[in-house]
Structure formats: structure tokens, C-alpha cells
Amino acid sequence: MKNLKLTALSETHRRTVILVGDIRIGEDFVVIAGPCAVESESQTIKTALAVKAAGGNMLRGGAFKPRTSPYAFQGLGLKGLKILEKAKKETGLPVVTEVLDSRDVSWICEYIDVLQIGARNMQNFSLLKEVGKSNKPVLLKRGMYSTLEEWLNCAEYILSEGNPNVILCERGIRTFETYTRNTLDLSIVPSVKETTHLPIFVDPSHGTGKLSLIEPMSLAAVAAGADGLVIEVHINPAEAMSDKDQQLTPEMFQSLMAKVEKVRSCLAEL
Ligand code: PEP
Ligand code: MN
């Protein structure tokens, strides 16, 4: 792959470790979990407490939602960021949230720990340049029609602006298959490992869109060598304002976390 001057794996740069509080992304196995969207203070804080109790490491939640329809819930904006800040205070969990617009990057950074670039914005180059100038780590999701080379070039945009802290996140790609929401491409995990030093996470929630598939695909992602997972969890999925069919209950998340630990300990013995 050409021109991956900063992103490519090399003898001198084999692994990027990103510090968020005392979490070492790329070294520790990290689970980012929480609702698709921040809907209210009580929904977010109850979910955050459940994520923490089950052993999740970071809280996710969208305050700005990229929705297919302009009439669908777009997120709470600033109010949502303030709720995330409060959830962090109550749980100690660092927070990850999506930024949609380059004009919002600098002020959003005052409320959160990790900026997320969503699949729909993977090649929004002005947004990539702006997060590249920020001092926050960036969770860069794979675009739904993107090759590994295109994805890594987007990471290169961020690194070339001076921000070395990029976490890649596979979230499924569009194929002819319609049974699942997307096709989760787990072969990308070892592919990323042999081409770049950046950490790679897997999001089986958007990657499958199906409750029954989230646990098996999480375990498969761990076995494939993922550095972490991104999982949607909601205190009451039936009432969720977005992605209600793919959000785990706290009980399901707790059971998934126990199995993830088992797979990790099996792997450690290999
Ligand atoms: C999300 O994680 O909230 C999201 C919108 O995901 P994606 O960009 O992968 O669709
Ligand atoms: Mn979602």
C-alpha cells in the first residue's frame, strides 16, 4: 500500500499504545459499551452504571446521531454531552462520542475523552483534518464501502495532522447479504495487524444488527486478535430511540463479558 508514511507497520513502529486515563488501548483489552444514543440523564447514567458493573472500560453514547432520515431522532447535542460528562463523574468511565461536523470538534473535546468518526464520515476529509489537529484519541470506523487501503489512508489524514492516536474500528460492510444489517469482516482484524501499528476494535452491534449474533461475533473478534470491542447496551432496549434491535440489556452484556474473559484466558494459553 502506497503513501502510508505514518500508518504502516514498520520495524521501528510495531504497535501504538494510546493512553486514556489509566487505560492503555492497544495493550489492555478494552470494551467500550453504552447506548446508541444519549436519550436522557437517567437512561445514560443507569446504563453507564450497568456497563461499569459488568466490567466495561469506557462509555459510548451518541449526542449527535447520523440518521438515514432527517426526521429521525438526531441526538441531544450539547445537552447529551453534559449528560455524558455527568455519567463519567458518576462512574469514572471515560467517554466516547461521535462528531459529525468539523465545526464542532474543538468544543466537543471539552466534554469527552475519545472522538468517534462514524462509518458515514470515514472519508469526510475536512473532518479528518480537524480531528487530526485535536489532542483527543480518535475512534475511526470503517466506511461501509471501504477497502482496507482507503480506511488506512483516512487514518493517515489524521496522523499527518499531528494526532498519532487513532483506533480503527470494524463495523461491518455492505454486501449482497440482507439477513444481517452489515457483513462483519473479521478477516480485517489480522489484516490490520499485518499492515499497521494502530489498534483495531470490532463493533458487532452495527456489524450484525442482530441481538442473537452479537455474542458469537464478539467472541470471534476476540479470537481473531481484536484489541477491543464496541457494544451497544441500553437499560431498556425496547424503548430505545435508535437501533433498538441491536442493543443488549445489562444482563446480556454481563453474560457476554464473562464469556469474553473465558475466550481471552483460553487465548493466553495458546
Ligand atoms: C455509532 O456507533 O453510533 C454509529 C452510528 O455507528 P456507524 O458509524 O458504525 O454506523
Ligand atoms: Mn447505533
Side-chain angles (χ1 to χ4, degrees), residues 113-114 230:
D113 299 284
V114 174
V230 179

Side-chain angles (χ1 to χ4, degrees), residues 35-37 60 65 141 181 203 205-206 232 242-244 246-247:
C36 180
R60 60 148 288 144
K65 295 304 302 175
K141 289 203 157 188
R181 181 177 181 186
D203 171 351
S205 303
H206 294 89
E232 287 193 338
S242 57
D243 287 352
K244 62 157 62 113
Q246 66 185 41
Q247 302 205 56

